[in-house]
Amino acid sequence: RIEAGSYDSGYAVQDIDGLIIEGVDPKNPPRFEGGKEAWHFSRCDRLQLRHLFVRGQQANGINIDDGGDRAHPTTKVLLSHIVVQDIGPKGNFDAIKCSGIDELVIENCQIKGWGGQAIDFVGCHRSIIRSCKIEGKEGYSCTSGIQLKGGCSEILVEECTLIDAGPRPLNLGGSTGLDYFRPAGALYEAKQLTVRKNRISGGECAAAFVGVDGCVFTENTIQQPSKWIFRVLQETVEPGFAPCRQVVIE
């Protein structure tokens, strides 16, 4: 448990099971500012992060992964009431980056200003993004608010607010190098996605369906995209990859 105050960044944690890191005072969370990354967790099952403030990193804000062991995903991770701001500002740098995580929940988080994706999932499964506010910021090269790619499956995105969150506020699927897919050999960027009861304001489009094999987009509110309402794309064209298909908008 961490008291309120200003702290350095650059913490790396590996192979710790059941770790909980939380701010003592939810109304005045500890602030981790500057540096390359605030926190990087590898192979930390049952990790919980609560009531933390992260700002001003040059690379990613919070990075959680499986340590590159694609056959053994990290499991049961929770991020709750995390604030991430001013990441990058230019380049493919994410506020919250997650690779190879199963049963991941990100809820009640606020993100403003990032270079790449606000929340980037690569090969994550059976996971939820819920009740988050994601807002772009002038001077930051954000490309999307939430991106689900690299073999993601069974992901629910619900009751989030995305405001000016880049050209693709919701990038449902994507374009991933073959060496990064989880599971290895997956023939879809994403499948079995549910996106419901969100509000998407601004951006070039509300949602891009990119190499996704099954997605239900339902009960969402779309406000003033600048160019398209939806995009349907196939950016990974390796042999055997499923075409973008089985998308329901209702």
Side-chain angles (χ1 to χ4, degrees):
R1 304 187 70 218
I2 303 177
E3 293 283 359
S6 182
Y7 297 84
D8 292 334
S9 292
Y11 301 98
V13 184
Q14 296 183 4
D15 299 305
I16 303 295
D17 186 4
L19 176 64
I20 300 172
I21 299 176
E22 65 179 1
V24 170
D25 183 358
K27 296 182 180 179
N28 188 15
R31 306 165 72 91
F32 301 90
E33 301 187 81
K36 291 290 186 180
E37 289 186 324
W39 292 88
H40 190 160
F41 300 91
S42 291
R43 301 183 301 274
C44 293
D45 292 334
R46 300 190 300 129
L47 171 70
Q48 297 185 38
L49 306 178
R50 295 194 290 260
H51 302 296
L52 306 176
F53 183 99
V54 169
R55 183 172 69 185
Q57 283 69 40
Q58 297 171 1
N60 304 304
I62 296 174
N63 192 347
I64 306 172
D65 62 37
D66 56 8
D69 184 354
R70 295 190 291 166
H72 298 93
T74 295
T75 61
K76 300 184 185 301
V77 173
L78 170 67
L79 280 68
S80 178
H81 295 90
I82 308 293
V83 176
V84 184
Q85 297 180 356
D86 303 344
I87 304 300
K90 306 289 186 180
N92 186 26
F93 302 120
D94 304 332
I96 299 174
K97 182 177 181 65
C98 303
S99 306
I101 315 296
D102 289 358
E103 299 176 68
L104 164 63
V105 176
I106 299 178
E107 62 182 12
N108 297 303
C109 294
Q110 298 184 39
I111 300 171
K112 186 172 183 178
W114 64 92
Q117 287 69 232
I119 299 176
D120 188 18
F121 281 10
V122 178
C124 297
H125 315 99
R126 302 187 302 281
S127 297
I128 298 170
I129 302 170
R130 174 190 294 135
S131 302
C132 294
K133 183 177 181 181
I134 297 170
E135 185 174 0
K137 187 173 181 179
E138 187 174 353
Y140 288 77
S141 61
C142 60
T143 57
S144 59
I146 295 172
Q147 176 170 263
L148 312 173
K149 67 173 191 172
C152 281
S153 65
E154 299 178 73
I155 310 293
L156 169 64
V157 179
E158 68 175 358
E159 299 179 352
C160 294
T161 299
L162 298 99
I163 303 170
D164 297 328
R168 302 179 185 181
L170 292 167
N171 203 31
L172 306 174
S175 178
T176 309
L178 297 183
D179 290 340
Y180 299 102
F181 274 80
R182 298 162 168 90
L187 295 177
Y188 49 84
E189 285 286 348
K191 70 176 183 179
Q192 294 176 265
L193 309 181
T194 302
V195 181
R196 69 186 183 200
K197 297 184 179 179
N198 302 283
R199 180 167 70 88
I200 307 109
S201 177
E204 284 190 352
C205 66
F209 304 95
V210 189
V212 61
D213 189 2
C215 177
V216 176
F217 184 96
T218 181
E219 299 180 82
N220 298 291
T221 299
I222 296 169
Q223 298 174 309
Q224 297 181 317
S226 65
K227 195 167 185 178
W228 303 281
I229 301 175
F230 302 111
R231 302 191 74 185
V232 180
L233 302 166
Q234 189 72 19
E235 294 180 341
T236 302
V237 293
E238 299 293 333
F241 263 76
C244 187
R245 62 186 180 184
Q246 301 189 75
V247 173
V248 176
I249 297 169
E250 63 182 10

